[in-house]
Amino acid sequence: ITAKQAKTPPLIPTEGSNKVKMTTEMGCMCLQCVRTNEVGVVEDLGQFRTLIDPGLHFICWPFTAVAGRLTLRIQQLDVVCETKTKDNVFVQVAVAVQYRVLVGSAYDAYYRLSDPRGQIQSYVFDVVRSSVPRMELDDAFASKADIAAAVMTQLRDVMKDYGYEIINSLVTDLSPDSKVKASMNEINASRRLKEAAAHKAEADKVKLTKAAEAEAEARYLSGLGVARQRKAIVHGLQASVSEFSKEVDGAKPKDVMDILLLSQYFDTLSTIGANSIILEHDPATVANLQRQVGQSFLRNTGSA
């Protein structure tokens, strides 16, 4: 057998299937190679004979031939399905299904299904179009794992009977119309603007409250200061009257108070005069003021 005759025939994959078909060349085809992670299907005159493992094999060609090869590697099928949600929004759901051929069930995988990818795709369409219409758009985005689990559950048992193992099922994308996306973004932006306005109003409220509390505290402290000032003035006047009465013989406290009132009166006049205010002046004003203050004290004492 020459090297050309022993050459492995080229592999031509069939579209829509994981079966690998062969083309024959003229010459002896007794030596066949099966690649790693593949299994070969051997037929005698069109009837299944056995499965061959990876490596070099001798067959009695043309009575015996390798009808096809099945890859044992994990494969992925991407399915895009259009459906409608409960709130009447059309979405494109992309599902990725990862699967492989079971070595012990290679016979079923080769002879029982002519198009395994089409079979998987049909089941994915069925699950997606029966699950998503029961959900609203927001719920569909939040339930991608549930959709993937439903696809996985539906496919696992069915495809196992045909010699295929479903490794995983993933919802890779859920895309509504571009106008729906834009409206959802506007709703989200409006909600965030509303929250920002509420936080700003709350901040302004806190600022005004703190300013009012600070003003009230300042006025309270100012009142305490004025009260202490007046108390100090009274104590000072009392001490002055007492000392003056002791130092000057025959001086009465009333005389001292008259002198203090007169000095306070002149101080008041000087202060008012600095502001260019014209007032009527009478020397008897001090006596009248003293009499009025005394009558006020007596009236308040009598009413108490």
Side-chain angles (χ1 to χ4, degrees):
I1 303 173
T2 63
K4 182 177 180 181
Q5 291 172 334
K7 183 180 178 182
T8 303
L11 306 179
I12 303 177
T14 302
E15 183 179 358
S17 173
N18 67 331
K19 300 176 184 177
V20 179
K21 300 297 184 182
M22 295 171 36
T23 60
T24 59
E25 295 180 351
M26 297 299 294
C28 182
M29 302 292 292
C30 296
L31 295 179
Q32 294 292 328
C33 288
V34 178
R35 296 179 181 273
T36 303
N37 281 332
E38 287 184 359
V39 60
V41 180
V42 179
E43 294 180 350
D44 282 342
L45 300 176
Q47 184 179 5
F48 173 76
R49 177 182 178 186
T50 186
L51 299 173
I52 56 177
D53 297 327
L56 181 64
H57 298 271
F58 177 81
I59 60 175
C60 296
W61 187 85
F63 303 102
T64 303
V66 178
R69 293 174 173 83
L70 294 174
T71 178
L72 302 180
R73 290 178 292 181
I74 296 177
Q75 303 177 75
Q76 177 168 307
L77 174 63
D78 294 319
V79 181
V80 178
C81 176
E82 184 178 15
T83 185
K84 185 181 71 169
T85 61
K86 186 176 181 181
D87 47 354
N88 297 323
V89 177
F90 282 90
V91 293
Q92 296 279 346
V93 182
V95 180
V97 180
Q98 298 172 351
Y99 66 98
R100 68 180 177 183
V101 175
L102 294 172
V103 180
S105 304
Y107 175 87
D108 295 329
Y110 187 83
Y111 286 103
R112 294 189 63 186
L113 276 182
S114 61
D115 186 7
R117 298 173 68 90
Q119 183 87 352
I120 294 174
Q121 183 176 3
S122 299
Y123 279 107
V124 171
F125 282 169
D126 178 68
V127 173
V128 171
R129 288 174 177 170
S130 62
S131 301
V132 176
R134 294 198 296 266
M135 307 176 184
E136 294 186 354
L137 183 59
D138 294 338
D139 296 334
F141 277 103
S143 303
K144 292 170 64 176
D146 297 336
I147 299 173
V151 173
M152 183 79 173
T153 303
Q154 180 75 6
L155 287 175
R156 181 182 296 159
D157 297 334
V158 173
M159 297 305 297
K160 187 176 181 180
D161 294 337
Y162 295 104
Y164 290 89
E165 178 186 7
I166 305 300
I167 305 298
N168 202 358
S169 174
L170 303 171
V171 177
T172 58
D173 189 21
L174 199 152
S175 178
D177 186 74
S178 59
K179 294 181 179 179
V180 177
K181 290 182 180 179
S183 63
M184 292 176 67
N185 291 332
E186 290 179 0
I187 292 173
N188 191 20
S190 300
R191 184 184 298 113
R192 294 186 179 274
L193 289 175
K194 181 180 179 180
E195 292 177 358
H199 287 300
K200 185 176 183 300
E202 187 68 22
D204 293 339
K205 177 183 176 181
V206 172
K207 289 172 62 177
L208 293 176
T209 302
K210 293 298 181 182
E213 291 177 355
E215 183 179 0
E217 186 69 17
R219 293 193 178 189
Y220 172 74
L221 296 176
S222 177
L224 289 179
V226 172
R228 291 175 182 175
Q229 179 185 11
R230 291 177 179 176
K231 185 176 181 180
I233 292 173
V234 171
H235 285 303
L237 291 176
Q238 183 179 5
S240 299
V241 171
S242 178
E243 291 178 2
F244 191 84
S245 300
K246 292 178 181 179
E247 295 293 334
V248 180
D249 296 335
K252 297 180 181 179
K254 182 177 180 304
D255 299 333
V256 177
M257 290 300 300
D258 291 340
I259 295 173
L260 291 175
L261 284 175
L262 184 61
S263 63
Q264 293 289 334
Y265 177 73
F266 282 117
D267 290 340
T268 303
L269 288 179
S270 62
T271 302
I272 294 176
N275 295 325
S276 301
I277 297 177
I278 300 176
L279 295 176
E280 181 181 357
H281 172 64
D282 187 359
T285 303
V286 177
N288 294 332
L289 180 61
Q290 183 180 7
R291 186 175 62 257
Q292 292 174 6
V293 172
Q295 290 176 356
S296 177
F297 284 159
L298 290 175
R299 188 182 305 111
N300 292 334
T301 302
S303 60

